[in-house]
Amino acid sequence: MNLPHFKYHPDPLKTEVFVERRAVCPCCGKETDVVYEGPFYSIEDVKDLCPDCIASGAAAEKYDGAFQDPESVDEIDAPEALDELVHRTPGYCGWQQEYWRAHCGDYCAFVGYVGYRDLKKLGVLEEILEDPDLDDWIREMLPSLGNGSLQGYLFRCLHCGKHLLHVDCD
């Protein structure tokens, strides 16, 4: 599959916000074998966007939309990074409001959906527990992550490789 590179969401097929399905992209009018099924915030209900229209920013511009709520992100001082994240990066599907983590002055790459076992298997559980921004109740609830009412969203810093977690409840 020849997809554009998304700095902040490097494997959108694995995270299943892109799926293989033939459709006509409403933005460019071209046939595509891969369509977007993640969040897109716009007045119009837009379906089946192609990866190229997301990567170029054409979809966000045409529909005055966003793939991530700019208020639901860690704060950094880089307006160009926020623009890329919001207008040219496929989002991810959360249970409630998606939230994008940042580290080293830049947004992190979204790795995927994780539970407690996944964090242990990936060898990042101790690293996650070291995060000073992780609430105490989340630390206590981590063993139930992915088994019921808690879902984890794993991010990786593009600069130092540190893993960060966002947790969502149903």
Side-chain angles (χ1 to χ4, degrees):
M1 192 68 47
N2 193 16
L3 294 178
H5 173 69
F6 295 101
K7 177 179 177 180
Y8 300 122
H9 198 149
D11 201 350
L13 281 169
K14 178 183 170 198
T15 62
E16 299 180 347
V17 294
F18 282 135
V19 297
E20 293 184 52
R21 181 166 42 83
R22 184 169 281 286
V24 174
C25 175
C27 184
C28 65
K30 296 178 184 174
E31 277 196 14
T32 181
D33 291 327
V34 177
V35 296
Y36 180 65
E37 291 195 345
F40 183 61
Y41 306 100
S42 72
I43 292 174
E44 294 182 52
D45 185 23
V46 182
K47 303 287 185 207
D48 298 333
L49 290 169
C50 73
D52 291 333
C53 285
I54 294 171
S56 70
E61 184 176 341
K62 180 174 183 173
Y63 298 105
D64 192 25
F67 296 96
Q68 173 65 36
D69 175 6
E71 300 300 318
S72 298
V73 299
D74 281 348
E75 198 171 313
I76 64 169
D77 187 25
E80 66 285 348
L82 181 62
D83 182 59
E84 180 173 351
L85 178 67
V86 169
H87 299 118
R88 295 185 304 282
T89 300
Y92 70 91
C93 299
W95 284 356
Q96 292 185 41
Q97 178 61 49
E98 297 82 11
Y99 188 88
W100 215 280
R101 298 296 313 266
H103 195 261
C104 292
D106 196 1
Y107 295 107
C108 295
F110 177 63
V111 176
Y113 311 96
V114 294
Y116 183 76
R117 285 187 211 139
D118 300 313
L119 295 173
K120 286 183 80 170
K121 184 179 176 182
L122 293 167
V124 299
L125 180 59
E126 294 304 317
E127 184 179 358
I128 294 298
L129 289 170
E130 294 169 1
D131 184 352
D133 292 331
L134 202 61
D135 292 334
D136 287 338
W137 75 268
I138 293 174
R139 279 190 181 80
E140 292 173 20
M141 296 298 293
L142 269 180
S144 63
L145 188 67
N147 297 321
S149 295
L150 285 180
Q151 175 63 56
Y153 308 96
L154 186 62
F155 294 85
R156 184 184 64 254
C157 179
L158 295 171
H159 304 281
C160 74
K162 179 169 179 53
H163 288 88
L164 299 164
L165 187 69
H166 173 66
V167 174
D168 197 0
C169 301
D170 65 0

